[in-house]
């Protein structure tokens, strides 16, 4: 699942993608907006807006997509191959989830999963651009420096 947001006043873009192995947050901005763009990215990572209406919307989209895929021979073949190749492993599960799992998913479960897995000790921050090393380190520290695992004091 991927979501892209353009931060128009900054001329910047934030792209969030959740996959089977990782969640990535990519930010593109002009150098003069580096600190602000990184702070917005940090908000998305550390303090995401997780709300029931959004969960319901994404759930409905995924349930609809699962119905579509059940009628597509190529998707059915891919599902059967993946299940056979990765039997007993998490990769055997469909990336979109299952109807039963999606219908049972609660906002509390999403919040708990975020707290358990989106943590500074499980994250890697990579910055690339024309800015000087010290400028990037300072901007990263300003945006992410206070981030602590849930329940740990700063």
């Amino acid at each position: 699942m991927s979501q892209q947001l353009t931060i128009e006043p900054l001329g910047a873009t934030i792209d969030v993608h959740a996959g089977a192995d990782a969640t990535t947050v990519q930010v593109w901005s002009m150098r003069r907006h580096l600190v602000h763009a990184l702070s917005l990215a940090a908000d998305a990572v550390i303090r995401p807006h997780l709300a029931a209406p959004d969960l319901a919307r994404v759930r409905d989209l995924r349930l609809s997509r699962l119905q579509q895929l059940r009628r597509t021979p190529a998707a059915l073949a891919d599902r059967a191959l993946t299940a056979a190749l990765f039997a007993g492993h998490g990769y055997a599960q469909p990336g979109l989830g299952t109807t039963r799992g999606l219908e049972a998913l609660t906002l509390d479960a999403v919040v708990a999963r975020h707290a358990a897995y989106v943590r500074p000790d499980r994250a890697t921050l990579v910055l690339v651009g024309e800015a000087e090393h010290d400028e990037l380190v300072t901007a990263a520290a300003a945006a992410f420096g206070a981030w602590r695992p849930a329940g740990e004091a700063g």
Side-chain angles (χ1 to χ4, degrees):
M1 182 174 153
S2 183
Q3 179 69 39
Q4 191 172 57
L5 171 68
T6 300
I7 310 163
E8 292 178 19
L10 299 181
T13 303
I14 295 178
D15 181 48
V16 180
H17 176 77
D21 295 313
T23 298
T24 60
V25 178
Q26 296 177 313
V27 180
W28 296 269
S29 82
M30 293 181 280
R31 183 176 180 178
R32 69 178 184 251
H33 298 302
L34 172 65
V35 172
H36 193 186
L38 273 181
S39 72
L40 292 172
D43 280 342
V45 171
I46 301 167
R47 294 170 292 280
H49 176 75
L50 301 173
D54 296 325
L55 175 61
R57 180 182 52 79
V58 171
R59 177 189 298 119
D60 290 347
L61 287 171
R62 285 189 171 211
L63 288 170
S64 176
R65 183 67 179 141
L66 285 174
Q67 286 180 343
Q68 293 171 350
L69 291 174
R70 283 190 206 107
R71 297 186 299 265
T72 306
L76 293 172
D78 183 60
R79 174 72 188 107
L81 177 64
T82 302
L85 287 174
F86 297 108
H89 188 279
Y91 287 168
Q93 301 302 314
L96 288 174
T98 63
T99 299
R100 184 180 335 171
L102 288 167
E103 288 174 345
L105 189 61
T106 66
L107 183 59
D108 287 342
V110 172
V111 170
R113 186 90 172 172
H114 179 272
Y117 289 96
V118 182
R119 304 166 40 104
D121 54 327
R122 298 177 58 96
T124 302
L125 180 63
V126 178
L127 299 172
V128 180
E130 293 182 7
E132 297 296 324
H133 176 265
D134 290 345
E135 182 182 357
L136 294 172
V137 170
T138 299
F144 291 94
W147 187 19
R148 300 287 179 268
E152 184 178 306

